[in-house]
C-alpha cells in the first residue's frame, strides 16, 4: 500500500512516499479501515523533528487522525460492520502504525461512527482537536454556563472548536487572533470578543472586558510567554489549562492567585495504555458527532492536499499561518 514514511528525525524532507506492507487483522477485536483522509496536526511535525515516542521505531508512519470505511472485522467485533464510516485518533506515535497510509487496523474500541452527513476529509480533521478541546474545557477546566473563558489562538485547530464548545456550554468567550483569516474564523465560530495579540496588550484588554476581574478559565494553546500572559488574565481562584509546558517564572503569580492549573495532553491514554480514558475519548467523539449533526459544531478545513504532499502540509503548519485544520486526502 502507499504510505508516507518518516525515515529519520529532521525536516519535512524526511517524509517519503513508499510502498509498504498492507496491514491485516491479527486479533478478533480488530477492524480494518480503508483510510480516506488523514488529519495533519502540530504533534506530527514535532515528532518528525525530534523523533517518535518509542526507541527503534523508525521508519514510522505518522498521523493520529483518520476517517475511512470499515472493510473487514474480526470475529469478536460487535460495534461495526463492513461499510461503516468511522473516525478515530489512533497510532502515529511510533508504536502502532499511523494514518498517512491507505489502510490501518485498530481495535474496534478506539473508533467511533462518523457524524452523519459529514464527508471523510472534514471528519478526519476532528478527533484529536475535539478530544483536546473537550478535555481542556470541561474535564480539566470545569467550564460552566455563565462563566467567561479566554481561548488563545481562536483561528487554530484546537482554538476554533474550543470556541464553539465553550459557547455551547453557555460561556462568554474571548479569544486571540492576529491575521484577518484567523479573526474571521474565530468570529464565525461565535467568539464574543477577538483580541489582536500582535497589536494589543492581551492582559489589559481582558481586564477591560471583565471589569478588572479576569476570566474564569484561560486555555493556553500556545505555551511559552502565552502561559505567563494567561496567568495574569485569569481571575483569582480561577482555572488555567495549558496544552504545553508551564512557564516556571509565571508560577509564583499563579500561586498568589490560587489558580487551579491543569495540563491537557490527549495522547496520554494512548502512550500509557489507559483504556478507561480512551473509552472517555470515544464518548467525547460521540457527543461531538451529535453536536455536528445538530448544526451546533463545525470543523474548518483550510487545505486538503493529496497524500504525496504530506511534506508540504508539514511546511504549511510550521509557518503558523494556517487556520483550522489541514487534511491529506487518500
Amino acid at each position: 500500500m502507499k504510505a508516507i514514511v518518516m525515515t529519520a528525525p529532521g525536516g519535512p524532507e524526511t517524509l517519503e512516499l513508499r510502498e509498504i506492507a498492507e496491514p491485516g487483522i491479527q486479533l478478533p477485536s480488530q477492524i480494518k479501515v480503508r483510510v480516506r483522509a488523514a488529519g495533519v496536526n502540530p504533534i506530527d511535525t514535532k515528532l518528525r523533528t525530534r523523533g517518535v515516542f518509542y526507541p527503534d521505531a523508525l521508519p514510522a508512519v505518522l498521523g493520529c487522525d483518520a476517517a475511512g470505511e470499515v472493510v473487514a472485522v474480526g470475529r469478536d467485533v460487535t460495534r461495526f460492520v463492513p461499510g461503516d464510516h468511522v473516525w478515530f485518533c489512533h497510532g502515529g506515535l511510533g508504536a502502532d502504525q499511523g494514518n498517512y497510509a491507505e489502510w490501518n487496523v485498530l481495535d474496534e474500541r478506539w473508533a467511533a461512527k462518523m457524524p452523519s452527513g459529514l464527508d471523510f476529509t472534514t471528519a478526519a480533521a476532528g478527533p484529536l482537536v475535539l478530544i483536546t478541546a473537550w478535555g481542556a474545557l470541561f474535564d480539566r477546566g470545569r467550564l460552566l454556563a455563565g462563566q467567561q473563558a479566554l481561548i488563545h489562538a481562536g483561528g487554530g485547530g484546537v482554538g476554533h472548536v474550543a470556541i464553539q464548545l465553550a459557547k455551547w456550554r453557555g460561556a462568554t468567550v474571548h479569544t486571540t487572533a492576529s491575521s484577518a483569516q484567523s479573526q474571521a474564523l474565530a468570529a464565525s465560530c461565535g467568539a464574543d470578543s477577538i483580541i489582536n495579540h500582535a497589536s494589543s496588550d492581551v492582559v489589559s484588554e481582558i481586564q477591560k472586558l471583565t471589569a478588572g476581574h479576569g476570566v474564569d478559565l484561560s486555555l493556553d494553546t500556545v505555551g511559552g510567554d502565552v502561559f505567563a500572559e494567561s496567568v495574569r488574565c485569569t481571575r483569582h481562584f480561577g482555572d488555567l489549562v495549558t496544552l504545553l509546558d508551564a512557564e516556571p517564572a509565571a508560577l509564583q503569580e499563579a500561586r498568589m492567585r490560587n489558580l487551579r492549573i491543569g495540563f491537557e495532553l490527549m495522547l496520554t491514554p494512548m502512550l500509557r495504555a489507559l483504556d478507561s480514558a480512551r473509552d472517555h475519548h470515544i464518548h467525547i467523539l460521540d457527543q461531538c458527532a451529535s453536536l455536528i449533526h445538530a448544526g451546533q459544531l463545525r470543523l474548518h478545513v483550510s487545505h486538503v492536499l493529496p497524500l504525496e504532499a504530506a511534506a508540504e502540509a508539514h511546511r504549511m503548519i510550521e509557518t503558523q499561518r494556517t487556520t483550522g485544520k489541514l487534511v491529506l486526502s487518500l
Side-chain angles (χ1 to χ4, degrees):
M1 68 173 177
K2 291 181 180 179
I4 296 293
V5 175
M6 172 186 166
T7 58
E13 68 278 0
T14 65
L15 300 178
E16 296 182 2
L17 180 66
R18 291 185 179 180
E19 285 284 339
I20 65 172
E22 183 177 313
I25 290 176
Q26 303 295 320
L27 299 172
S29 61
Q30 290 179 328
I31 59 174
K32 182 174 181 177
V33 177
R34 173 63 171 95
V35 177
R36 299 296 182 181
V40 183
N41 292 287
I43 183 62
D44 302 349
T45 67
K46 293 175 183 177
L47 293 178
R48 189 212 71 231
T49 300
R50 70 188 184 207
V52 294
F53 283 103
Y54 301 87
D56 303 318
L58 297 181
V61 177
L62 300 177
C64 300
D65 278 341
E69 181 180 359
V70 177
V71 295
V73 300
R75 67 175 182 272
D76 292 345
V77 170
T78 60
R79 297 177 57 236
F80 302 106
V81 297
D84 282 344
H85 291 182
V86 294
W87 60 342
F88 54 88
C89 184
H90 177 80
L93 305 179
D96 296 321
Q97 179 200 298
N99 298 297
Y100 294 0
E102 292 181 298
W103 307 88
N104 209 345
V105 170
L106 66 155
D107 193 286
E108 68 164 335
R109 293 176 295 170
W110 314 139
K113 288 189 177 179
M114 273 175 47
S116 58
L118 212 61
D119 59 78
F120 288 121
T121 53
T122 306
L128 186 146
V129 296
L130 291 171
I131 294 168
T132 297
W134 187 289
L137 294 173
F138 306 142
D139 297 336
R140 244 60 64 203
R142 304 167 179 85
L143 185 66
L144 300 173
Q147 291 188 323
Q148 297 197 61
L150 169 61
I151 296 170
H152 286 281
V158 173
H160 87 283
V161 296
I163 291 170
Q164 296 174 75
L165 289 173
K167 292 298 294 181
W168 167 71
R169 180 55 60 94
T172 298
V173 178
H174 312 293
T175 192
T176 61
S178 58
S179 72
Q181 295 88 344
S182 293
Q183 292 178 11
L185 177 56
S188 72
C189 290
D192 294 284
S193 64
I194 302 169
I195 303 167
N196 186 334
H197 59 88
S199 60
S200 302
D201 182 273
V202 175
V203 177
S204 296
E205 293 300 316
I206 288 295
Q207 292 304 310
K208 293 175 186 176
L209 290 165
T210 61
H213 297 294
V215 297
D216 300 285
L217 168 65
S218 289
L219 173 53
D220 167 26
T221 65
V222 181
D225 292 342
V226 172
F227 179 87
E229 190 175 68
S230 299
V231 168
R232 293 180 289 130
C233 289
T234 308
R235 69 169 176 83
H236 290 77
F237 308 104
D239 286 273
L240 194 167
V241 179
T242 182
L243 308 187
L244 296 109
D245 294 329
E247 184 63 35
L251 294 180
Q252 183 176 358
E253 178 62 18
R255 183 187 181 200
M256 183 63 68
R257 290 173 182 253
N258 280 274
L259 299 188
R260 186 165 46 186
I261 296 177
F263 295 90
E264 174 60 35
L265 178 62
M266 65 79 56
L267 302 176
T268 297
M270 277 196 286
L271 292 168
R272 297 287 176 88
L274 304 175
D275 289 355
S276 61
R278 295 197 73 181
D279 288 339
H280 178 56
H281 285 182
I282 298 303
H283 174 70
I284 291 172
L285 290 182
D286 288 340
Q287 290 274 92
C288 289
S290 297
L291 293 177
I292 290 170
H293 181 71
Q296 295 177 285
L297 178 63
R298 66 183 178 89
L299 295 159
H300 175 73
V301 177
S302 60
H303 297 84
V304 179
L305 293 84
L307 177 65
E308 55 267 27
E312 178 59 22
H314 277 224
R315 291 186 186 97
M316 293 171 69
I317 283 185
E318 289 175 323
T319 66
Q320 298 183 341
R321 296 174 185 170
T322 59
T323 59
K325 290 293 298 291
L326 276 69
V327 174
L328 300 176
S329 177
L330 285 78

